[in-house]
Amino acid sequence: MEVVILQGSKQIGRLVADAIEALLRRKPTAVLGLATGSSPLPVYDELAARHQRDGLDFSNAHAFALDEYVGLDHGHPESYREVIRREFTSRVNIAEGNVHTPDGAAVDLPAACSAYEEAMRAAGGVDLQLLGVGTDGHIGFNEPGSSLASRTRIKTLIEQTRRDNARFFGSLAEVPHHVVTQGLGTILEARHVVLIATGAQKAPAVRDFVEGPVAAICPASVLQFHPHATILVDEAAASSLKLADFYRHTYDHKPAWQAL
């Protein structure tokens, strides 16, 4: 696990965009794993700017979203299908048919979860997965207590997550109680995982999953098992890390040939 501490979200966005651009240039058919929430927005803004300014090409790429609410219509403004379209995919030249989200409106949700796993396998697996992290340490919607080997499935949101997400809805009552999410085992199969965390409210979760034990109570801690996990945090999110100075030293002396 590589921990990179930067000054702010714009700098993080540029660095992650560099990694995605390098991936697309060496593998135009790359499969990207997309996250929602505020953490990846600077990345999406930077990628859209590079597409418009430099012609960064997404036409042969595929994308798979991490999760989706259960019970929201596909066109609902807060469905993750729509959020990803609005915040990113409509701003670049990725084909609409190459953008995949779990089907939270399916009549047979378990079958839809299995089909989503199969679609990712058929695409060749995720090359780079973007992640945020919740204040309780969840990634995707794998809440505390999730199996570390879990696959795409239905999950019940804890009330803290519903409260955190209520800002996107008219009220807490409008936030769904259930979601479809890629499992922790699914996420671990991505070839490169990039997690972004910013703000002091994320500092306890960052401390727990980076430097604490691997445990289901902190789902993001499973990333300690990943062979290529990059954790990008700002100074506020890094404020509880005991080894922060070591992480800074390591990054400052990173060999030029060693990419993110």
Side-chain angles (χ1 to χ4, degrees), residues 15-244:
L15 189 60
V16 178
D18 287 345
I20 294 173
E21 179 172 359
L23 170 63
L24 287 169
R25 294 200 184 281
R26 71 174 181 270
K27 184 181 180 182
T29 59
V31 178
L32 304 176
L34 303 182
T36 53
S38 57
S39 295
L41 293 182
V43 179
Y44 297 153
D45 288 343
E46 182 65 23
L47 290 172
R50 294 182 189 198
H51 168 67
Q52 294 161 11
R53 183 186 65 237
D54 307 323
L56 181 59
D57 185 19
F58 293 82
S59 61
N60 293 307
H62 283 258
F64 286 84
L66 268 174
D67 39 39
E68 181 58 282
Y69 289 112
V70 169
L72 296 187
D73 294 334
H74 290 167
H76 189 287
E78 295 309 322
S79 73
Y80 285 158
R81 178 189 300 261
E82 178 61 20
V83 170
I84 284 174
R85 186 205 65 78
R86 183 172 65 242
E87 300 292 355
F88 178 52
T89 59
S90 67
R91 303 165 66 191
V92 298
N93 65 330
I94 191 169
E96 184 176 349
N98 287 0
V99 181
H100 312 270
T101 55
D103 189 357
V107 174
D108 187 341
L109 284 170
C113 293
S114 296
Y116 200 63
E117 290 268 340
E118 178 55 35
M120 283 188 282
R121 285 192 291 269
V126 174
D127 291 296
L128 187 150
Q129 176 66 61
L130 281 176
L131 295 174
V133 63
T135 56
D136 60 1
H138 74 255
I139 52 176
F141 273 128
N142 294 282
E143 297 284 28
S146 293
S147 165
L148 302 184
S150 53
R151 311 302 302 187
T152 300
R153 70 214 186 283
I154 307 156
K155 286 292 290 182
T156 301
L157 297 180
I158 65 171
E159 285 306 294
Q160 180 61 53
T161 299
R162 293 185 68 244
R163 287 193 294 270
D164 287 348
N165 288 3
R167 68 189 188 276
F168 300 115
F169 292 81
S171 67
L172 177 61
E174 296 179 34
V175 182
H177 287 268
H178 297 93
V179 293
V180 173
T181 184
Q182 289 185 37
L184 296 172
T186 311
I187 291 168
L188 285 178
E189 290 184 353
R191 296 176 184 90
H192 185 191
V193 172
V194 177
L195 185 148
I196 299 168
T198 58
Q201 75 279 8
K202 299 294 179 70
V206 170
R207 174 199 62 214
D208 290 347
F209 84 78
V210 171
E211 297 180 340
V214 176
I217 194 65
C218 183
S221 67
V222 76
L223 296 180
Q224 293 182 35
F225 288 134
H226 197 282
H228 190 188
T230 306
I231 313 303
L232 296 112
V233 294
D234 65 4
E235 291 288 351
S239 60
S240 295
L241 291 172
K242 292 181 179 179
L243 297 177

